[in-house]
Amino acid sequence: MTAPATLDSTPDTSATDDGGRGNGRRLGLVAGAVAVVLALLLGYAGGLLTPRLTRPGDDSVEAGFARDMTAHHAQAVEMGLMAFQRATDPEVRSMGGDIATGQQGEIGTMQTWLRSWGLDPTGSQPRMAWMADGAGLVKNGLMPGMATPEEMAKLRDAQGREFDLLFLTMMINHHLGGIHMIDGVLDESDEPDVVRTAQIMKNTQQTDLTNLTNAKKRLGG
Amino acid sequence: MSISTPGGEQRRPTVVSTGKKPAAGRPASGAKAGSGKPAGTPRAGGGGKGPRKPITPVKVSQGRAKGPIILFVVVGLVAAGIIGVGAWAAFQGSKPWEERADAIDGIVNYREKDPELVKGSNHQPGKVNYTILPPVAGPHNQSWQNCMGDVYDAPIANEHAVHSLEHGAIWVTYRPDLAADQVSKLADKVRGNEKMLMSPFDGLDKPISLQAWGYQLKVDNADDSRIDEFIKTLRVNASIEGPTALCNQGITATGTTPRDGVQMPTQ
């Protein structure tokens, strides 16, 4: 209230004084505003980039697991669909369908991870390289528990009860190998969604193992 | 501000007094330096013991203008540098597969050369005439060739193999006279890998030809690094049906006569 009065009383000096100081302050304000905008932009860019830079990379455990478990699952789908179509025993038939659809669904989940991480479905590392001592477990390009081309041909040719028992034996081996790989990712990854999904895979396959083993006993295998 | 300077009309004293406050924290920093460096104690100790002396803080207020600006510029440049490098790396890594495919030396992109062919994917029974050999796209039989890392030792039907390509498979073909060690090197890339299949192919103009849906690459040697590049870039990616299209439940028999109408799987 009193300030305007004093300004009026000394017009010349105070005006020039205030003008000079006002320019300086305006410059300061502009610099401050620019600084704030720059800081916000940097923060925004950092926020955008952080998930990109921290997500699993091309040679990560998670990407290796997603790619290799996709290939491993694909063979279980192949065997499961054959059982669904050709098994004689109703329980073997339904387990085949359950395993095939379940694992095909999980393939979709794992492939979606890779896509969201900006990675190709194909890696540049050898199979199982993501797992400690994993590369040594690959035999003729096949990961633990996977059936050889000869075993798959034998399953295609098998009929009746022989088919059912062969399927059960092969799927039990397949699940045992699969659980070994799942344990590998559970040991080495702390990516929440990967760990959670891997744990669910393990639960499912362990339950399957019990039922597959019981069915095999029931059918006299 | 006005409260702290009740007597003066000028604002400068208040500015100086605010400048003093951070400067008053100096004794603490001086003490730190003193504890760390015994050699520096004479100066720092003298400053630290005399917090009442107002002379030194006044000088500091002059450097106030430059210090923060330099600091801001340096921090800003470092931050911008880190983010820039990160952004560049992320950008390079996330180049779309189409761009990376076109960068492969010698690749033929039929999506561009013959978009109509690559678009069409309807089922057609019996023999299909393909103008590009080995075929890379086009109509095909309803049954696909099993592409679960299958290594076929005899030629297979184009009409089934093209269907496998549509499902995202890479089809490795080689001239039947290719040396055995070369063939086994190729087989190592295929065996156990779903969305891959391999077979000899009669009448190839080059020893090895790789096919993905809409793409082809011909090379002379199984050691050629472009083979792995082609597979990494195009396997599944080139599929027009996505990663969950099946490669199992397909034809597992060899022979170039299409088996349309035969119940899957055959044999």
Side-chain angles (χ1 to χ4, degrees):
Chain A
M1 288 290 202
T2 48
T6 48
L7 275 174
D8 285 345
S9 63
T10 53
D12 288 338
T13 47
S14 66
T16 50
D17 258 33
D18 269 17
R21 214 168 285 152
N23 276 342
R25 206 191 274 170
R26 227 169 281 149
L27 264 177
L29 268 177
V30 170
V34 168
V36 167
V37 168
L38 274 179
L40 283 173
L41 281 175
L42 280 175
Y44 177 64
L48 275 182
L49 279 170
T50 303
R52 277 199 166 199
L53 297 174
T54 54
R55 70 194 180 188
D58 202 42
D59 295 341
S60 65
V61 169
E62 291 82 4
F65 173 75
R67 287 164 177 150
D68 289 357
M69 193 49 88
T70 293
H72 200 270
H73 269 33
Q75 196 187 53
V77 172
E78 181 168 31
M79 300 194 299
L81 284 179
M82 283 163 76
F84 183 66
Q85 198 177 25
R86 295 174 41 211
T88 311
D89 184 78
E91 192 194 357
V92 175
R93 217 162 40 232
S94 80
M95 278 196 290
D98 188 27
I99 290 169
T101 51
Q103 300 218 353
Q104 186 73 358
E106 288 171 350
I107 288 174
T109 301
M110 292 185 285
Q111 292 295 310
T112 306
W113 290 340
L114 290 170
R115 196 184 302 182
S116 69
W117 299 335
L119 302 176
D120 289 320
T122 314
S124 21
Q125 298 283 314
R127 289 280 185 211
M128 302 287 290
W130 55 273
M131 211 172 130
D133 305 322
L137 298 171
V138 180
K139 291 187 182 85
N140 284 322
L142 298 173
M143 291 176 281
M146 284 181 76
T148 63
E150 294 74 29
E151 287 170 326
M152 290 304 291
K154 203 176 158 195
L155 185 64
R156 281 188 197 102
D157 289 341
Q159 301 290 333
R161 180 174 161 275
E162 189 208 350
F163 173 90
D164 290 17
L165 283 173
L166 193 54
F167 166 78
L168 291 170
T169 306
M170 286 170 69
M171 190 57 91
I172 287 167
N173 286 336
H174 202 274
H175 271 22
L176 288 172
I179 288 171
H180 186 65
M181 289 168 67
I182 294 166
D183 281 338
V185 79
L186 288 174
D187 284 348
E188 291 177 50
S189 175
D190 50 9
E191 189 76 16
D193 193 29
V194 172
V195 170
R196 200 179 307 129
T197 307
Q199 187 59 54
I200 288 169
M201 281 182 194
K202 187 177 174 178
N203 299 347
T204 310
Q205 296 196 21
Q206 276 174 335
T207 313
D208 282 349
L209 270 179
T210 310
N211 294 325
L212 290 164
T213 311
N214 288 343
K216 197 179 164 189
K217 273 184 207 145
R218 184 170 55 78
L219 293 173
Chain B
M1 273 198 175
S2 59
I3 299 163
S4 66
T5 55
E9 338 97 64
Q10 283 182 324
R11 278 170 192 164
R12 268 188 191 162
T14 49
V15 176
V16 174
S17 73
T18 50
K20 267 182 202 169
K21 275 176 189 169
R26 265 213 144 187
S29 64
K32 261 188 224 159
S35 63
K37 281 185 186 175
T41 36
R43 255 198 208 168
K49 277 169 192 170
R52 334 135 207 164
K53 286 178 184 175
I55 308 154
T56 32
V58 176
K59 281 178 186 172
V60 175
S61 68
Q62 284 181 332
R64 183 182 58 114
K66 278 184 186 171
I69 289 175
I70 291 170
L71 188 71
F72 176 77
V73 167
V74 168
V75 169
L77 282 178
V78 168
I82 291 169
I83 289 168
V85 167
W88 185 81
F91 171 75
Q92 285 299 108
S94 63
K95 255 189 186 172
W97 64 265
E98 290 95 333
E99 274 181 42
R100 286 181 283 131
D102 286 338
I104 298 173
D105 192 33
I107 199 169
V108 184
N109 180 349
Y110 289 101
R111 291 180 177 234
E112 279 174 9
K113 285 184 86 171
D114 194 348
E116 270 309 304
L117 171 82
V118 178
K119 203 170 65 183
S121 56
N122 51 311
H123 295 170
Q124 185 177 309
K127 194 88 191 151
V128 179
N129 283 321
Y130 297 101
T131 49
I132 302 149
L133 289 174
V136 294
H140 45 259
N141 278 194
Q142 61 161 25
S143 312
W144 53 87
Q145 191 76 26
N146 221 58
C147 40
M148 299 290 293
D150 296 80
V151 176
Y152 300 101
D153 56 5
I156 55 174
N158 293 335
E159 289 78 359
H160 303 309
V162 168
H163 200 165
S164 307
L165 296 180
E166 187 195 46
H167 285 206
I170 301 288
W171 181 21
V172 179
T173 55
Y174 58 94
R175 217 157 55 189
D177 64 357
L178 188 68
D181 67 314
Q182 290 273 298
V183 175
S184 80
K185 271 179 188 167
L186 291 176
D188 284 345
K189 298 177 190 298
V190 174
R191 204 177 289 117
N193 296 322
E194 49 106 40
K195 298 279 166 81
M196 297 280 293
L197 76 163
M198 168 171 159
S199 70
F201 196 95
D202 287 320
L204 273 182
D205 56 346
K206 288 266 190 166
I208 298 161
S209 179
L210 306 174
Q211 284 73 230
W213 183 262
Y215 289 94
Q216 191 162 56
L217 175 70
K218 291 182 176 175
V219 298
D220 294 316
N221 197 301
D223 298 313
D224 197 311
S225 63
R226 289 174 298 166
I227 296 176
D228 289 342
E229 233 180 303
F230 186 93
I231 294 169
K232 174 161 173 58
T233 310
L234 295 171
R235 182 181 155 272
V236 180
N237 283 339
S239 167
I240 55 173
E241 296 194 347
T244 51
L246 286 185
C247 255
N248 59 68
Q249 318 305 307
I251 304 279
T252 54
T254 55
T256 52
T257 308
R259 294 163 179 263
D260 175 65
V262 178
Q263 180 108 30
M264 295 183 287
T266 308
Q267 276 198 358

